[in-house]
Amino acid sequence: MTQSLVPKENDMAGTKGVSAAGPKGVLSHMKYEHLIAGVSGGVTSSVVLHPLDLIKVRFAVNDGRSVTIPQYHGIRNALVTIYKQEGLRGLYRGVVPNVWGSGTAWGLYFLFYNTTKTWIQGGDPNLQLNWPMHMAAAAEAGILTLFLTNPLWVVKTRLCTQYGNEKPLYSGMLDCFSKIYKAEGIQGMYKGLVPGMIGVSHGAIQFMVYEEMKNWYNNYRGTALSTRMNTSEYLFFAAASKLVAASATYPYQVVRARLQDHHHNYAGTMDCISKTWRFEGRLGFYKGLGASLTRVVPATMITFVVYENVSGFLTSRNFSNRNLNRL
């Protein structure tokens, strides 16, 4: 069964969706389990795979015209070169804001997404939504999360693009925050916001595909939509959904990274797009895609598996506690 954009009194959700309309009603569906589980997944994947994220950023900001930026020939060459020139510490440049950013972003994203989704369902986890509803819930979660976390991504990009052959401009995350704010103001903290808004479609596509695949699989098995799956099933659905979303929306990540990099000075989003197309052609918008997929697919698999298991554990624990309190 699918549902239209607005919950109706006669839907399976009953009158819950109607009576819970408005901000107070939406907030009543907010559960901290999703926040904790999302943070856990984001932090775990960031720590494990940060070197690949660093390489993806460096590939993305390399326009082939900046003489101060090192040239790498593939992922393996980049790993070896960075390790030789900057040591192990070089592979983890920007890891602090990345952990903060990924942990915060995934925590908030899962919190906002599940809050919106549950509100639309009227509190019934077994009410099947159609794909536009999944995309709408994911898009709303993405926009809210982006506004709250964009400054962290700017700092991460700046720290990741400090190369071993130049004097570091920033000594750490807090120093980077301070210097960006002093030199560029609040506007500097929100560089890359416009392509980031476009990139909200990435999360919307990913969550839509992920949810639709889970729903299809549960319908195929003849089980309730809220039925828990095993780890291998979550891994497969997470990987497939990420591949679809990443391949479809990668160019915005290149534009966003270049706007946030202090080695470039673009007048804005359209200027960045125009120059990238003029000097590098279509392939310029896909620089770092290999490194990105090598990182984001395993990262998503780790994030979603940790999230599903932690949220399942916390939810079952709270359910057990509620039952004990009734005795």
Side-chain angles (χ1 to χ4, degrees):
M1 176 183 288
T2 57
Q3 184 172 322
S4 61
L5 286 174
V6 181
K8 301 175 182 178
E9 289 192 38
N10 294 327
D11 284 339
M12 287 179 64
T15 57
K16 289 181 181 179
V18 177
S19 62
K24 185 176 289 186
V26 174
L27 293 177
S28 68
H29 294 291
M30 188 174 286
K31 295 182 179 179
Y32 77 92
E33 293 95 329
H34 298 300
L35 175 65
I36 295 175
V39 169
S40 300
V43 168
T44 302
S45 63
S46 296
V47 172
V48 173
L49 297 168
H50 181 76
L52 288 173
D53 195 20
L54 172 85
I55 292 171
K56 182 211 78 171
V57 171
R58 292 195 177 185
F59 276 144
V61 301
N62 188 353
D63 59 6
R65 293 177 289 123
S66 301
V67 295
T68 59
I69 296 180
Q71 303 297 313
Y72 305 118
H73 308 287
I75 299 173
R76 180 183 175 84
N77 175 254
L79 284 170
V80 173
T81 303
I82 294 171
Y83 182 75
K84 285 182 177 179
Q85 294 180 351
E86 306 173 49
L88 183 62
R89 186 175 182 179
L91 291 171
Y92 278 88
R93 287 186 187 273
V95 68
V96 175
N98 193 23
V99 168
W100 273 92
S102 292
T104 303
W106 278 115
L108 292 174
Y109 201 105
F110 277 113
L111 177 68
F112 293 147
Y113 174 75
N114 282 284
T115 298
T116 304
K117 175 186 168 184
T118 305
W119 172 71
I120 296 172
Q121 291 175 313
D124 180 5
N126 291 312
L127 178 61
Q128 183 168 334
L129 305 180
N130 53 31
W131 67 265
M133 296 307 307
H134 288 306
M135 289 197 74
E140 180 181 9
I143 291 171
L144 291 172
T145 300
L146 177 64
F147 273 98
L148 293 173
T149 60
N150 198 79
L152 285 167
W153 299 128
V154 173
V155 170
K156 171 204 158 186
T157 300
R158 297 286 177 92
L159 292 176
C160 283
T161 52
Q162 291 194 133
Y163 305 100
N165 61 352
E166 62 183 13
K167 183 179 179 180
L169 183 61
Y170 311 107
S171 61
M173 185 173 79
L174 294 179
D175 180 58
C176 189
F177 266 119
S178 176
K179 287 180 177 176
I180 292 174
Y181 183 74
K182 287 179 181 178
E184 305 170 51
I186 194 68
Q187 185 176 357
M189 295 291 185
Y190 281 89
K191 282 191 172 181
L193 181 67
V194 173
M197 293 288 287
I198 298 171
V200 166
S201 61
H202 176 101
I205 293 172
Q206 180 184 347
F207 270 70
M208 181 271 291
V209 174
Y210 183 71
E211 293 283 5
E212 288 295 307
M213 290 179 73
K214 287 200 306 179
N215 288 349
W216 174 85
Y217 188 59
N218 277 320
N219 287 332
Y220 173 77
R221 295 189 302 175
T223 56
L225 297 182
S226 58
T227 303
R228 308 293 301 177
M229 299 179 186
N230 60 44
T231 299
S232 62
E233 291 163 342
Y234 285 131
L235 285 171
F236 175 77
F237 295 143
S241 62
K242 191 64 175 183
L243 277 171
V244 173
S247 299
T249 63
Y250 185 75
Y252 97 88
Q253 295 186 44
V254 173
V255 175
R256 186 183 185 191
R258 293 187 177 189
L259 288 171
Q260 294 174 344
D261 179 23
H262 57 286
H263 293 89
H264 297 91
N265 187 24
Y266 297 107
T269 301
M270 293 309 298
D271 181 50
C272 181
I273 293 173
S274 175
K275 287 180 178 177
T276 300
W277 177 264
R278 186 192 316 163
F279 293 108
E280 303 166 72
R282 180 171 55 88
L283 293 179
F285 293 101
Y286 288 90
K287 280 193 172 180
L289 178 60
S292 178
L293 291 178
T294 303
R295 183 197 71 85
V296 298
V297 173
T300 300
M301 293 167 72
I302 293 171
T303 301
F304 275 62
V305 166
V306 172
Y307 164 78
E308 294 286 5
N309 284 283
V310 172
S311 64
F313 169 77
L314 293 174
T315 302
S316 63
R317 185 179 178 184
N318 283 344
F319 180 75
S320 299
N321 288 339
R322 284 196 296 270
N323 286 340
L324 287 173
N325 290 334
R326 291 175 183 174
L327 297 177

